[in-house]
Amino acid sequence: MNLPGATGRVAAQAVPPILPIAALLVMWELAGRFGLVNVFLASMPSRVVTAIVEMATEGPLLTDVLTTVRLLFVAYGVSVVLGVVLGMLAGFLRKFEYGFSPLIWFFYNAPIVAFIPLLMLWFGLGGPTIFVLGLLFGFFPIYVNTASGIENVDPVLMRLGRSFCLKRWEMAWKIVLPAALPIIFAGFRLAMGRVFVGIIVGEIFAGSRFGLGFRLRNAADRLQTDESFAALVVIAVMAVLIGTVLRRLDERFSAWRMVGN
Amino acid sequence: MRRPVDVQNPPAVQRARARAEGTRRTARTRPRDQRLTRLWISSATVAVAILLWEVAARTGVMDARFTSSPSGVVANLPWLVESDFRVHAGYTLYAITAAFGLSLVAGAAAGLVIGRVRLARRLLDPLVTIGYTTPLTAFIPVVVMFLGLGITSKIVIGLVGGVFPVLVNVAAGAGTVDPPLLRAARSFSVGRFQTYRHVIVPSVLPYAVTGARIGLGRVLIGVIITEMFGGSQYGLGLLLIRMGQSFRTDELMLLVLVVGIAGTLTVGGLRSWERRMARWRAV
């Protein structure tokens, strides 16, 4: 069902993948230059670049990025620690998992953003609200993946362990955890993207002075299109960077998983 | 005639295993009992949690002005009918349905093309990556600036959130269609449309369900969060913000529960459907 044979393949390889993005940018720039769209509202790539450079050299861009990154890592780190510890408890102790499963299922599937007004009521504007929001976005995927990874170990491996008369902790340490690791890592990867979403949402609604989300909201409120596009571009670049790093890490671990299966 | 013996699992071994299981792992029970225990323990925990919440609010351990209380939430149930909750809920439901429907259609169509046509994949991959990984909420201020605060911007944000997960998963599924199946279809000179209908779409379906589940979660987030933006006229997001700002914690808590439970039922339902479909996956 691909393009007919060799022509399709050659055509596909001849086209640089950056082309559509470049074309879009050029069209956007030209539309602005020739007055097809209102530059005040739609901005232009060149003006966005200027805005990024200005914000980076004279403005608060560096502080914004650092603020966001710090919150991101703190919320992610706490999510990972809590998620792995409680997830392991739930994975090994069925009763523990049963007890918390309705709550977990609720927070795992509900749209977390509905809690924003409540969090703002409890923690006010600023860091704590944003941190808790990031935590709510990140903790549950890690917990759920850790618990289900531990519970769903290949029965063949479990039987193998029992054949060797392993003790309980030996089973846990030598068989269950290694077998569950790829699923736990998948949770880590899933959570990173979600924590980033949570931090940006939190900064948009509850950011007080710095942070990329706050900058975006602030620029949009002042109708500074160039600045808000600049903030959007920085956020997108960060997201793609984080995504690429995580995918590389995941590929390294999945090479191992392929053997395991 | 000899009865065939299951070499992998001979009767003697089965008996031995049954004995070992019986003595060593008494905790291992049949699935049905397990489900009962699960139901029992989890409902007990929920009941205890609600009780603790009520006691804490009554005794003043928690300030009921900030945390409400179960009785306060229940007492406000009629509010759902008396107030303009229905209007807001209808508005949100409409935006969600439109955004999710469009995401499914557009995502499935684009995903099939990207998954089956190499040129399209090469050209669109970077755009899809950017659209999928950038936090959905970062688009909101820009979209609102262009489209205002009417229902269009809510549907567009929901669409931006929902279309990429569907697209990416459908494309992944379309890329993993079993080649022998395709070759078989070609040997029988099955037409292109028929091949899509009988070979490609069925193998893509489990992936599409995964995409739909992730997509629905994002549509919910996108629509509700856009409604929270100052200046919106309708929507549950707006109602949530209003209740928060006017300190009506009972109504706020009730709303959070209603929205959360609705999300849990729909997304969770898709998740269990996905789990059932997963057995079908080629990989």
Side-chain angles (χ1 to χ4, degrees), chain B residues 188-209:
Chain B
F188 288 105
S189 26
V190 176
R192 184 172 271 242
F193 175 76
Q194 295 272 317
T195 313
Y196 265 91
R197 188 169 157 222
H198 293 292
V199 180
I200 295 178
V201 169
S203 11
V204 169
L205 210 56
Y207 294 85
V209 175

Side-chain angles (χ1 to χ4, degrees), chain B residues 32-53:
Chain B
R32 202 171 151 269
D33 299 344
Q34 215 172 359
R35 227 172 296 148
L36 269 180
T37 332
R38 183 188 194 117
L39 193 68
W40 193 87
I41 296 183
S42 48
S43 19
T45 327
V46 172
V48 169
I50 292 176
L51 198 72
L52 279 180
W53 180 14

Side-chain angles (χ1 to χ4, degrees), chain A residues 14 69 90 107 232 249:
Chain A
V69 167
F107 281 102
L232 177 57
L249 284 176

